Amino acid sequence: MSRFDVAMLEEAVEDVLIGKQFYEESEEGVGVYFAASALADITSLSIYAGIHSSHFGYFRLLMKRFPFAVYYQKEHNQVEVIGVLDMRRNPKTLRAILANRKSQPNEDGNG
């Protein structure tokens, strides 16, 4: 079984911190749970990278417990997380955010 090395753009780390703050303000402890859930889902990419559908030119992993998606690209045994974004946002906004991130995708989600 292939293993992938997973890295995150600084903006993706910031996305997780923003989500954590949002949920922590709504109820104590939920923000920490959000961050732990996000990191668990991101860590799972070391095994499952590439099996997800492609959206906006990146692979998209839907988080299991929150309405967020992890957008990533893979090349060989490398995975780069581009963003961890709230799925309740307008798709045009999501596309614009991803377009402004450092790495530019191919149509199939590969870098």
Side-chain angles (χ1 to χ4, degrees), residues 13-102:
V13 173
E14 185 67 24
D15 293 338
V16 173
L17 295 175
I18 289 168
K20 177 183 175 188
Q21 181 180 7
F22 171 79
Y23 282 110
E24 198 62 32
E25 288 174 0
S26 67
E27 186 173 338
E28 186 176 339
V30 179
V32 173
Y33 183 59
F34 168 81
S37 295
L39 294 178
D41 287 339
I42 291 166
T43 300
S44 77
L45 292 173
S46 69
I47 298 170
Y48 298 112
I51 68 167
H52 306 95
S53 60
S54 181
H55 297 268
F56 310 129
Y58 295 105
F59 288 108
R60 182 180 77 178
L61 161 66
L62 298 176
M63 287 183 56
K64 290 176 180 48
R65 305 205 184 280
F66 291 89
F68 277 68
V70 178
Y71 291 89
Y72 69 96
Q73 59 188 9
K74 74 174 187 74
E75 187 170 347
H76 307 293
N77 68 334
Q78 301 289 321
V79 172
E80 185 174 42
V81 176
I82 307 302
V84 181
L85 303 177
D86 191 335
M87 295 300 297
R88 297 170 292 186
R89 299 178 96 170
N90 185 320
K92 289 180 183 177
T93 302
L94 296 175
R95 182 186 303 268
I97 290 169
L98 292 169
N100 288 320
R101 299 283 164 105
K102 180 190 100 176

